[in-house]
Amino acid sequence: MRATIQDVAREAGVSVATVSRAMRGMTHVAEDTRRRVLETAQRLGYAPHFGASSLAGGTTGMIGLVAPYFHIWYASQVLTGVEHVLSASSRDLVIFAGDTPENRARFLDRLPSLVTRIDGLILVDFFPNEDELRALRESGLALVAVGEELPGVASISIDNFEGAYRATNHLIDMGHTNIALGGGRQLSLDASPVLALRIDGYRAALEDAGLKPRVEYDLGGLLSSTGGRAAIDELLDLAEPPTAIFFLSDEMAMGGLAQARRRGLHVPSELSVVGFDDHNMAEAAGLTTIRQRVRELGVLAAQRMVAFADQDREGSHELVPVELVVRHTTSGPH
Amino acid sequence: MRATIQDVAREAGVSVATVSRAMRGMTHVAEDTRRRVLETAQRLGYAPHFGASSLAGGTTGMIGLVAPYFHIWYASQVLTGVEHVLSASSRDLVIFAGDTPENRARFLDRLPSLVTRIDGLILVDFFPNEDELRALRESGLALVAVGEELPGVASISIDNFEGAYRATNHLIDMGHTNIALGGGRQLSLDASPVLALRIDGYRAALEDAGLKPRVEYDLGGLLSSTGGRAAIDELLDLAEPPTAIFFLSDEMAMGGLAQARRRGLHVPSELSVVGFDDHNMAEAAGLTTIRQRVRELGVLAAQRMVAFADQDREGSHELVPVELVVRHTTSGPH
DNA sequence: TGCGCCGTTGTAAACGTTTTCAGTCGAGGG
DNA sequence: CCCTCGACTGAAAACGTTTACAACGGCGCA
């Protein structure tokens, strides 16, 4: 049926060993032998059997990527960056979603079986606890973490603290003193070090300016547009409403923006709004925000993974800088 | 190093054949033998070697998915739907991006080598030409197409014609007669049957209402927020500007919405706007739109693929219905 | 009691590579 | 002219499964 390496060898008048070497561009093959082999392979439509290679060679050329979701803006951006680099180095990408706790557990259970399936694993916003981290380490897979710092694991993230600090500082610079935090009331920060860092950045900026964070200025929950709407509703109920709000994500900010306008609040004259992400709808919305180059995160992660193949396996941490993009949702108070 | 099936067999006091049968839940294994084998496997931390299984068994349990991009809303939604179903049936998902022509060509070249790597392939908005379709067919892979109808291939898409028809009709019902089409000026409709269908739906609705489509009402190019902005700029330059506009995508509509407001046009009193997608920011924007249940597209595609494993390989076409969601961007003219 | 059948198990032959090791052949140096 | 060395090539042993086929035992039925 399918042509095998045997067929190519016979047809080209060489041994299978030579075909194998020639196909993979290895040394110790005479130039015209290689040419003959390649041409024969082409003619027979030969392509190496994946399972056979992986069995004999011990490697698959596949990289895994696990993320909580793929339909959220952040993860899909990372995915694209990773895919680009990987496909250019002719590796394949297999993806796993760890959205629900069950999925997550199932994924971790499968870890031992993944070892023969992929050469390395990219973790996107995975936030493993101690047991999970140990399981990952013991798998022996090459690991790269995106979005968080993991001890002993090569990791890459954007500078969340700095981003939040700058966003808040931008509002302070414009004269605001009553600055709320959209998404500040998180159920569990252990589950999301990323948000913890952003919240820290917000607080640090306030403190450095001699301002006190107020509990009642921590608004809304989820970082979605629905969460943003809820945050604005809360804000309007406050005795002393803030004049500015820093949302922990753009989706949330855009939801908040729409709700503020719907409830008759003019932005930016009555309320300044800053987001975080530079979501691709943020420009259309005119939203002032912190740009995080998420796709680059994916690119760097994949490059790191590719470098692993060349035995460069250190667990350093890389920080991608962020940038403040001022659009039309911020101004001075009143 | 790693435990093999041999180790399990020896330890459990049975043959490798029995272990293989027991592990895969096959018949012809006594219940207590199975229990003993499973327990031994568990104890030794045994997991089958992927390459070996695939070599001997001829199947990999991996499904491929190729899409133009993954960071656009539509594709990432499909991806999530597919992933859900596949992971529940313990299959893995490997993804390929066919964004640039080079990537696309490279992907098609690799097709023969993919056969030993994946069991089936899901095409998302792939729009193959005749040669490409033949290459796909000859690969012998199980194929499912999402977003377009492919002769002889199981395919699933939403009802684009109907959606556009309803969107346009909604505007007609409200009394509009001058209705523009945002994104109507496409460079090549051959490349995107999806858009062609939407445009047909728009035209059909006009004609059924006795209205004539006007060339100058085909506005803007790309279906992005930038494209939407351009469309509004064009619209404002027209001698007899339309009172309503149907955008071929929500991103475009939201870009247009923001630009219209920025240029002092009140929505909906001066301009009605309808989109297409029900993007997850559409609700926040209050955008009237056509809801396409994209995630369900992915779910159906994956289910179809799983059914293929049970030899149900017919090339029928399935149409997922759409729904008009009326929000706050449409009203009667003037 | 003998026979056939069925459920369970084992033996061994694939499956198609990669890689080690040994071998050949020609060139160059002593 | 012999020896060594290096570039190239081939033979054959893994790699760890799946699966056809054979074998075995017990049970029901005649």
Side-chain angles (χ1 to χ4, degrees), chain B:
Chain B
M1 204 60 224
R2 271 175 60 82
T4 74
I5 200 173
Q6 309 273 358
D7 301 328
V8 179
R10 188 176 349 97
E11 199 78 7
V14 294
S15 74
V16 294
T18 302
V19 175
S20 175
R21 281 187 285 250
M23 294 289 299
R24 287 176 303 146
M26 296 183 69
T27 178
H28 290 290
V29 179
E31 211 33 65
D32 56 342
T33 308
R34 185 191 305 280
R35 218 179 356 254
R36 196 169 70 247
V37 167
L38 258 36
E39 180 206 292
T40 312
Q42 171 82 23
R43 184 160 51 82
L44 299 186
Y46 167 72
H49 188 287
F50 174 63
S53 309
S54 120
L55 176 57
T59 185
T60 62
M62 294 209 161
I63 302 295
L65 183 149
V66 56
Y69 299 96
F70 296 104
H71 61 276
I72 61 171
W73 178 81
Y74 175 85
S76 69
Q77 292 287 332
V78 174
L79 189 60
T80 296
V82 168
E83 208 285 334
H84 251 196
V85 174
L86 253 35
S87 82
S89 77
S90 69
R91 264 162 255 249
D92 286 328
L93 181 58
V94 30
I95 63 175
F96 309 94
D99 44 0
T100 61
E102 300 85 58
N103 268 2
R104 202 181 162 90
R106 188 163 54 183
F107 171 73
L108 287 163
D109 278 350
R110 286 193 48 200
L111 224 39
S113 87
L114 287 185
V115 176
T116 55
R117 192 167 287 239
I118 59 182
D119 297 337
L121 182 62
I122 297 177
L123 305 158
V124 179
D125 277 7
F126 195 72
F127 312 135
N129 63 29
E130 216 146 296
D131 286 347
E132 294 172 335
L133 185 55
R134 181 149 23 82
L136 284 167
R137 283 242 185 67
E138 283 172 359
S139 75
L141 285 167
L143 298 177
V144 174
V146 173
E148 66 188 314
E149 186 169 357
L150 248 40
V153 174
S155 30
I156 295 157
S157 63
I158 60 137
D159 199 337
N160 285 290
F161 179 91
E162 178 69 16
Y165 189 97
R166 280 200 211 166
T168 312
N169 217 40
H170 170 61
L171 294 169
I172 294 169
D173 280 349
M174 293 192 125
H176 294 276
T177 52
N178 291 346
I179 304 172
L181 181 61
R185 233 174 37 243
Q186 291 299 315
L187 293 177
S188 160
L189 284 176
D190 296 342
S192 177
V194 167
L195 293 191
L197 283 168
R198 292 188 191 171
I199 293 174
D200 286 350
Y202 160 80
R203 300 231 168 96
L206 289 186
E207 274 163 29
D208 287 358
L211 300 170
K212 259 221 181 63
R214 300 213 220 163
V215 200
E216 71 272 27
Y217 279 3
D218 284 350
L219 304 172
L222 295 176
L223 303 201
S224 62
S225 62
T226 318
R229 192 191 316 159
I232 292 295
D233 288 341
E234 270 184 58
L235 178 147
L236 286 168
D237 285 346
L238 288 175
E240 187 182 3
T243 58
I245 179 164
F246 163 46
F247 281 103
L248 289 174
S249 90
D250 273 4
E251 289 210 15
M252 192 177 195
M254 290 190 276
L257 212 53
Q259 180 70 355
R261 287 181 174 143
R262 209 171 287 141
R263 296 202 44 179
L265 211 55
H266 188 263
V267 176
S269 67
E270 296 177 282
L271 179 72
S272 284
V273 172
V274 183
F276 199 118
D277 277 345
D278 203 23
H279 189 288
N280 56 347
M281 294 312 301
E283 199 199 347
L287 180 69
T288 293
T289 190
I290 296 294
R291 172 176 300 160
Q292 50 166 329
R293 301 204 301 279
V294 184
R295 191 134 10 134
E296 187 176 331
L297 241 46
V299 169
L300 288 173
Q303 284 172 343
R304 191 67 152 274
M305 186 56 85
V306 171
F308 273 174
D310 316 333
Q311 315 303 341
D312 160 32
R313 253 178 128 121
E314 43 163 348
S316 68
H317 182 62
E318 203 165 335
L319 221 48
V320 174
V322 294
E323 185 186 346
L324 174 69
V325 182
V326 180
R327 296 202 180 94
H328 318 296
T329 55
T330 47
S331 71
H334 305 307

